[in-house]
Amino acid sequence: MNFDKEYFNLGVLDTLSYKNTLVHRLDPRTKVITTFAFIVTVVSFPKYEIAGLIPFLLFPVVIFALGDIPVWFILKKVLVVSVFAVFIGILNPLFDTHIKYHFLTFPVSGGWVSFFSILLKFFLTMCSALLLISTTSFPGICHALRKLGVPEIFISQLLFLYRYIFVLMEETLRMVRAKDLRSFGKKGQGISIFINLVGTLFVKTIERAERIYHAMLSRGFTGTIHFVLKEGFGKKDFVFMSVTGITLFIFRAYDIVGLIGRLAERMFN
Amino acid sequence: MTHHIIDFKDIFFQYPDGTEALKGVSFRIIHGESVGLVGANGAGKSTLLLQMNGYMLPSSGVINIGGVELTKKTRQDIRKKVGVVFQNPDDQLFMPTVFDDVAFGPLNLGMSNERVTDRVNSALQTIGCLDLATKPPHHLSAGKKRAVSIATVLAMEPDILAMDEPSSNLDPKSRRDLIGLLKEFKHTKIIASHDLDLILEVCERCLVIKNGMIVADGRVSGILTNQLLLEENHLELPLSLQKNRIH
């Protein structure tokens, strides 16, 4: 069943984030900042750039390897959402038809080049975002964001979302199962049953929220949530951040692919 | 000592929809006593527990906890004295990790980070779950969730523990561990449950509630052996007291 699978997938991503590798042990702030820097750098390339983006593939590759993250699992997730990127870029080849390059004597229009550039940028940014999530626990990311100045109320919302999305999904799962077991292979009774399901879920959620609020009050909640935070910004964070920063700068400022090309040309001549 | 006494005097409570859940409940629990609260579904057990820390205030009657009358003004202080463990651990554990959850109460009491960490560690040690501190609650088994929800309350060092169905959804071993744990606590305890064997083992005194009224109050040994009284209240003899139950 589809819903079971989705729930399982969410669980896998969450479990991955609690591994214990070099990347997982880095301070969440380090990872949030470097991921953000990476995304900004990638997006900052002009619209016809392809060659300049290629070296950036190194970043996900290194994180996949160091963080011991299953490559196919993440790639499949990127593939699922890549539909959006395709829709954004698909009209470029139709509108932008002037010839930009010749690839093995085939003329390539500017539209195709910018389309591939969009896909590549999308792939890189999605990969890095998913890798951030699968190498950092969700509470870790939230605490990092809080320290970086995101308002308290958003952080509390995100943390509650994380805590209860699993509970809510399990509840939904049980209801969907109960429905399926009594609809005997038919699609249930279509949309009307679906509306009932969502309605019941909504009421259940409100009731649960009330009980949670009661539990919070019972333990002295007066409006703000406090945390004991352990400072974890160490030498390895500093090293990771500087290396990534310098690499990003070099990849952005210099034409690495061209450099390698010219070097290879000189060697073979 | 007078400060761990629970005193309910003629408590009435009506839900907003008009249901009369409590109709003149009176009892007094003294320091260090363990009291079981039993009764049929919908008899008013959970409502009674919710009265204890002022989440719901009675329509009439006086509740006195540790010498302080429970009112809108005093309920914040009373919540520090009365720790309530809810029936569903998913409602009780709302923070992203076990550590954060157990630290929630002590931090609200305004303690320093070091003291909070000490409290959390000792509470987790008591329930034998120190190694779970960094885990998110949804990675725990039902038994561990229950133990951690008890720790969240223990960390506040309350004088009085109130529990709603502590043994529901537990496998026999987790239930056995829980009973061991409850027996060790020296707090004043009030436990609402259908698990009569648990009450028999943990409590000395038992209240029977029926349609919002206390219909029996006495020693566990007297009440939980009174087959007629139990059956009138949709209960039965505790399994350990049933003879020839395997035919």
Side-chain angles (χ1 to χ4, degrees):
Chain A
M1 200 195 310
N2 227 346
F3 201 86
D4 283 38
K5 223 167 92 188
E6 282 311 310
Y7 179 64
F8 172 74
N9 273 338
L10 190 68
V12 170
L13 211 54
D14 183 51
T15 318
L16 280 180
S17 72
Y18 286 92
K19 277 191 169 188
N20 189 11
T21 71
L22 181 72
V23 188
H24 287 83
R25 281 194 299 270
L26 289 171
D27 189 279
R29 274 171 296 174
T30 316
K31 285 180 272 187
V32 170
I33 293 171
T34 44
T35 307
F36 187 68
F38 178 82
I39 291 174
V40 169
T41 320
V42 166
V43 174
S44 76
F45 274 96
K47 77 178 213 190
Y48 292 121
E49 191 64 55
I50 289 181
L53 289 169
I54 301 292
F56 284 88
L57 288 169
L58 187 67
F59 185 79
V61 169
V62 168
I63 304 291
F64 270 124
L66 289 180
D68 193 18
I69 304 294
V71 180
W72 280 115
F73 180 75
I74 300 290
L75 289 189
K76 260 191 249 164
K77 290 233 164 302
V78 177
L79 202 68
V80 169
V81 276
S82 63
V83 183
F84 294 104
V86 171
F87 274 121
I88 290 169
I90 195 69
L91 292 177
N92 285 9
L94 295 180
F95 289 122
D96 187 357
T97 48
H98 77 273
I99 304 303
K100 190 95 177 144
Y101 300 110
H102 285 274
F103 181 68
L104 303 175
T105 72
F106 286 110
V108 181
S109 73
W112 282 109
V113 176
S114 62
F115 178 51
F116 278 112
S117 178
I118 287 176
L119 287 188
L120 202 56
K121 281 176 188 165
F122 171 82
F123 176 79
L124 285 168
T125 47
M126 267 319 282
C127 251
S128 63
L130 282 170
L131 281 172
L132 172 70
I133 298 172
S134 49
T135 57
T136 317
S137 69
F138 195 82
I141 295 178
C142 289
H143 291 316
L145 291 175
R146 176 210 304 274
K147 282 188 190 153
L148 296 172
V150 175
E152 189 80 24
I153 184 104
F154 294 124
I155 303 294
S156 307
Q157 288 293 321
L158 282 175
L159 287 172
F160 275 111
L161 174 77
Y162 171 71
R163 173 64 186 92
Y164 284 103
I165 190 127
F166 295 98
V167 176
L168 186 68
M169 284 188 81
E170 251 165 55
E171 207 150 60
T172 316
L173 191 66
R174 282 196 294 269
M175 283 166 65
V176 170
R177 266 187 202 148
K179 186 204 82 155
D180 283 354
L181 284 176
R182 283 180 288 150
S183 40
F184 311 107
K186 295 183 194 119
K187 281 266 171 207
Q189 279 150 41
I191 193 80
S192 67
I193 288 297
F194 179 73
I195 291 169
N196 282 340
L197 221 76
V198 173
T200 314
L201 208 58
F202 179 66
V203 173
K204 276 187 179 178
T205 309
I206 290 180
E207 280 171 358
R208 184 184 292 278
E210 222 162 81
R211 290 197 302 271
I212 294 164
Y213 183 58
H214 180 200
M216 293 172 76
L217 286 180
S218 302
R219 287 194 272 148
F221 176 71
T222 48
T224 37
I225 298 181
H226 309 275
F227 288 93
V228 178
L229 293 177
K230 293 163 202 92
E231 293 296 325
F233 204 81
K235 210 190 273 172
K236 58 179 187 299
D237 295 293
F238 186 71
V239 173
F240 182 83
M241 232 197 250
S242 345
V243 171
T244 320
I246 293 169
T247 323
L248 286 180
F249 176 75
I250 294 174
F251 284 179
R252 181 69 185 88
Y254 301 97
D255 178 16
I256 303 292
V257 176
L259 217 67
I260 295 172
R262 279 193 291 280
L263 207 69
E265 228 171 29
R266 211 177 300 159
M267 272 168 68
F268 286 112
N269 291 338
Chain B
M1 295 220 310
T2 57
H3 57 276
H4 300 177
I5 286 179
I6 305 169
D7 197 8
F8 275 54
K9 270 204 192 102
D10 210 21
I11 301 300
F12 282 82
F13 178 77
Q14 197 174 19
Y15 276 101
D17 66 357
T19 321
E20 282 238 55
L22 300 176
K23 302 170 195 161
V25 170
S26 297
F27 61 88
R28 183 179 169 87
I29 297 173
I30 56 168
H31 176 65
E33 231 180 345
S34 291
V35 180
L37 184 62
V38 301
N41 287 332
K45 298 188 298 291
S46 297
T47 313
L48 190 68
L49 286 188
L50 289 179
Q51 302 281 322
M52 296 205 26
N53 67 359
Y55 181 67
M56 296 168 178
L57 292 170
S59 328
S60 73
V62 178
I63 299 175
N64 195 308
I65 310 267
V68 180
E69 191 184 320
L70 179 63
T71 61
K72 254 190 177 148
K73 279 187 187 152
T74 58
R75 63 180 171 185
Q76 290 298 345
D77 289 323
I78 283 177
R79 281 174 187 159
K80 292 176 192 163
K81 295 182 187 173
V82 184
V84 183
V85 180
F86 294 92
Q87 189 171 351
N88 185 345
D90 276 329
D91 298 339
Q92 179 105 20
L93 306 175
F94 46 78
M95 296 290 276
T97 66
V98 167
F99 183 95
D100 289 335
D101 216 304
V102 181
F104 181 85
L107 282 170
N108 282 334
L109 296 177
M111 287 181 206
S112 68
N113 282 0
E114 293 78 43
R115 277 193 67 199
V116 170
T117 312
D118 286 347
R119 281 258 183 125
V120 173
N121 289 339
S122 79
L124 287 176
Q125 190 118 46
T126 313
I127 56 152
C129 291
L130 202 53
D131 52 329
L132 300 180
T134 56
K135 293 230 165 149
H138 62 269
H139 285 183
L140 305 180
S141 68
K144 294 291 180 204
K145 271 189 198 168
R146 180 80 53 169
V148 172
S149 23
I150 293 173
T152 63
V153 170
L154 286 183
M156 296 176 64
E157 300 190 349
D159 303 325
I160 297 158
L161 273 180
M163 298 191 185
D164 198 355
E165 289 289 0
S167 64
S168 62
N169 289 331
L170 295 188
D171 60 36
K173 164 126 189 355
S174 307
R175 174 178 169 275
R176 184 49 55 196
D177 292 345
L178 176 82
I179 291 175
L181 203 62
L182 292 179
K183 276 182 174 173
E184 279 172 30
F185 294 152
K186 299 289 170 252
H187 306 79
T188 304
K189 290 189 281 281
I190 176 157
I191 302 172
S193 184
H194 289 139
D195 185 347
L196 301 182
D197 290 271
L198 176 133
I199 304 251
L200 192 65
E201 284 198 49
V202 177
C203 303
E204 304 115 37
R205 185 176 152 196
C206 187
L207 302 175
V208 183
I209 187 165
K210 184 183 186 182
N211 297 331
M213 282 176 285
I214 303 276
V215 289
D217 177 358
R219 296 197 62 78
V220 162
S221 49
I223 288 184
L224 293 186
T225 48
N226 185 340
Q227 195 160 1
L228 197 67
L229 173 73
L230 291 173
E231 276 167 15
E232 271 176 9
N233 286 286
H234 296 209
L235 303 166
E236 58 176 15
L237 281 178
L239 295 177
S240 54
L241 299 181
Q242 291 181 14
K243 283 176 197 144
N244 309 323
R245 59 176 198 271
I246 301 167
H247 295 285

